[in-house]
Amino acid sequence: MAEKDIPNGKGGQEVTPWEVKGNEEGKIDYAKLVREFGCSYLDQPILDRMEKLTGHRPHHWLQRGIFFAHRDMKEVLDCYEKGQPFYLYTGRGPSSEALHLGHLIPFMFNVWLQKVFKVPIVIQITDDEKYLWRGLDLEESIRLGRENVRDIIACGFEAENTFIFSDFDYVGGAFYRNITKLQRAVTANQCKGIFGLNDTDNIGKVAFPAVQAAPCFSDSFPHMFGGRKDLQCLIPCAIDQDPYFRMTRHVAPPMGYKKPAQLYSSFFPALQGESGKMSASDPTSAIFVTDTPKQIKTKINKHAFSGGRDTEAEHREKGGNVDVDVSYKYLTFFLEDDERLEQIKQDYTSGKLLTGYLKAELIAVLQKMVAEHQERRKLVTDEVLDQFMKPRPMPNIFPRSPDLQINLLPPRS
């Protein structure tokens, strides 16, 4: 295949859509991923151009290198500059009822992109994937998906240009036609090579990648885009999802579509550090959006891996290590004040700031953020949820291009 499709398991590191494992030191070598996956680093000229075109300073996750790699972002900005529309696509595989902070990253970033670029978004709930891979009961997969959608909506998406769909509910019609086109375009051997599948895996796993690829094609959503096949798709997500879109980019041009573009983020660390793993079955591994202020404080104080020294005297002398300190890493995600973050870094690495004070700073930030999220979630009634998930005519999704002609097809009954 033209896009690189070699599984990355050498040197102990393994990054797939279902498993993320660091190297011998437990760390993720992002430079190696960029090389193996064949994507490019986000550079300052791209960020500068984004600011010039939108009139908005780039999100702090872009400036701090949290979203660090891309494919075809220059082409997306070309479309935007010419007044040509594009749309966003992201998703969620519902494996737990409560999301942790790492789950929120792509949704919070997509909310920013949606508002800054004034573009629509489609959000796929892959409840079928979790049924196939995790062995969840089918009805439980659907229920967890709906619960997750409440948290997704609470991130701040706009109903007038957001469509959230469950695979179990939406697959059919134009969407299914694109799935079958993709399935015919990719061989079983290619699928096994890209995703590391083997002959003991159920056939649903071999067929599923086409389901996650189909939202990259705009005519999968006739109620939004009519029958147009020429709209550019931009997918902001964690880099472990790359195999799906390497596959899609290979087959898109022969099928008459533009290659989907990607913006890739690094991974959000577990409380126990980069070598740890956030898990819904281990409540001490992550901060969840359901946590109380007391739970957040306890988790950070007891479980957040520290870059501080063994004694106060040694810490004052040598300073802390922000490269491994989880509290500092979390602040790089959620403390937006650049000057304050830099001051914390200087004070901690010099030994002026002790670990306890660093953790206190993070606790205050997270308690406020999680409490605000919980209040927004309370407003997501069944009626609001159904509004976002109903296929419906969406005639005003490109406010920058009011003359754009999209002949909307009626939604499926």
Side-chain angles (χ1 to χ4, degrees):
M1 300 180 76
E3 301 285 341
K4 296 189 177 183
D5 58 356
I6 301 172
N8 57 93
K10 299 177 182 178
Q13 176 167 291
E14 184 176 0
V15 176
T16 74
W18 311 284
E19 184 71 27
V20 175
K21 184 177 70 172
N23 57 26
E24 291 86 348
E25 298 176 350
K27 296 182 178 181
I28 300 297
D29 185 342
Y30 290 103
K32 181 179 180 182
L33 289 182
V34 168
R35 292 193 304 270
E36 290 187 344
F37 290 173
C39 48
S40 303
Y41 284 107
L42 275 170
D43 56 21
Q44 194 59 46
I46 291 180
L47 301 189
D48 291 342
R49 188 178 178 206
M50 189 182 298
E51 181 172 5
K52 180 180 178 181
L53 291 175
T54 65
H56 292 269
R57 186 174 182 233
H59 195 285
H60 65 277
W61 292 345
L62 290 167
Q63 298 178 64
R64 296 174 187 173
I66 291 170
F67 276 82
F68 70 101
H70 76 102
R71 282 200 180 91
D72 292 349
M73 192 60 198
K74 294 178 182 177
E75 286 74 7
V76 171
L77 295 178
D78 287 343
C79 284
Y80 186 80
E81 187 171 22
K82 296 173 184 176
Q84 299 170 355
F86 71 91
Y87 69 100
L88 302 167
Y89 159 39
T90 193
R92 162 73 184 148
S95 58
S96 62
E97 186 163 314
L99 303 186
H100 57 60
L101 296 187
H103 292 143
L104 293 187
I105 300 301
F107 300 113
M108 294 170 68
F109 187 61
N110 273 282
V111 165
W112 181 83
L113 289 170
Q114 181 185 55
K115 293 178 178 178
V116 166
F117 284 98
K118 298 180 175 60
V119 291
I121 185 169
V122 296
I123 301 175
Q124 182 180 40
I125 305 300
T126 55
D127 37 18
D128 51 344
E129 177 200 16
K130 296 309 173 186
Y131 174 73
L132 292 168
W133 261 270
R134 296 294 180 89
L136 293 178
D137 177 79
L138 191 147
E139 294 301 324
E140 178 66 0
S141 296
I142 296 173
R143 186 189 74 81
L144 291 177
R146 286 181 64 85
E147 289 303 308
N148 286 184
V149 169
R150 296 181 193 277
D151 283 308
I152 293 170
I153 294 172
C155 289
F157 289 102
E158 301 167 347
E160 59 268 22
N161 58 356
T162 301
F163 176 51
I164 306 175
F165 64 98
S166 150
D167 284 346
F168 278 134
D169 289 341
Y170 187 69
V171 171
F175 193 85
Y176 184 65
R177 287 195 289 273
N178 279 340
I179 290 173
T180 56
K181 291 176 186 176
L182 284 154
Q183 288 171 338
R184 194 169 79 170
V186 181
T187 69
N189 281 338
Q190 287 173 331
C191 190
K192 290 178 181 178
I194 296 169
F195 297 99
L197 302 175
N198 57 57
D199 291 339
T200 64
D201 285 309
N202 65 63
I203 60 174
K205 292 183 179 181
V206 179
F208 173 77
V211 181
Q212 186 156 324
C216 298
F217 302 151
S218 55
D219 62 345
S220 292
F221 306 100
H223 64 284
M224 297 178 71
F225 308 125
R228 289 191 60 163
K229 299 177 62 174
D230 62 332
L231 301 184
Q232 177 76 57
C233 175
L234 173 62
I235 308 160
C237 61
I239 198 169
D240 62 329
Q241 297 301 301
D242 180 79
Y244 287 111
F245 307 120
R246 293 204 305 275
M247 178 194 78
T248 310
R249 286 171 58 84
H250 175 69
V251 300
M255 293 174 60
Y257 297 98
K258 292 183 177 181
K259 291 184 178 182
Q262 291 84 48
L263 281 172
Y264 286 137
S265 74
S266 56
F267 301 116
F268 190 74
L271 284 172
Q272 286 77 9
E274 189 172 8
S275 60
K277 181 175 176 58
M278 286 183 287
S279 171
S281 61
D282 180 7
T284 68
S285 67
I287 303 297
F288 291 83
V289 295
T290 52
D291 284 347
T292 65
K294 182 178 179 180
Q295 288 173 319
I296 292 171
K297 181 178 181 179
T298 299
K299 285 183 179 182
I300 297 298
N301 282 331
K302 290 185 63 176
H303 303 292
F305 188 83
S306 170
R309 304 294 176 173
D310 292 337
T311 66
E312 180 178 341
E314 184 183 7
H315 185 91
R316 295 289 191 192
E317 178 187 355
K318 298 179 179 179
N321 183 358
V322 294
D323 291 335
V324 300
D325 193 287
V326 166
S327 295
Y328 178 79
K329 286 178 178 287
Y330 278 27
L331 284 172
T332 65
F333 279 84
F334 300 121
L335 180 60
E336 296 186 26
D337 188 328
D338 290 333
E339 292 185 3
R340 177 60 184 151
L341 183 66
E342 180 60 27
Q343 188 63 56
I344 289 172
K345 180 179 180 179
Q346 292 180 11
D347 289 348
Y348 193 60
T349 55
S350 70
K352 180 179 178 181
L353 184 70
L354 298 177
T355 297
Y357 292 102
L358 175 61
K359 288 188 173 185
E361 183 100 18
L362 174 64
I363 289 166
V365 170
L366 295 187
Q367 285 176 335
K368 180 176 184 294
M369 189 184 90
V370 172
E372 290 174 350
H373 180 90
Q374 291 171 355
E375 289 303 309
R376 292 193 300 270
R377 193 186 194 278
K378 291 177 183 178
L379 303 177
V380 184
T381 63
D382 288 339
E383 291 75 18
V384 170
L385 186 146
D386 290 339
Q387 179 187 7
F388 275 86
M389 299 190 73
K390 180 181 179 180
R392 60 207 185 273
M394 302 173 72
N396 301 311
I397 54 178
F398 292 115
R400 288 186 70 250
S401 307
D403 298 328
L404 179 68
Q405 295 299 311
I406 292 183
N407 297 315
L408 293 176
L409 303 182
R412 297 200 309 268
S413 59

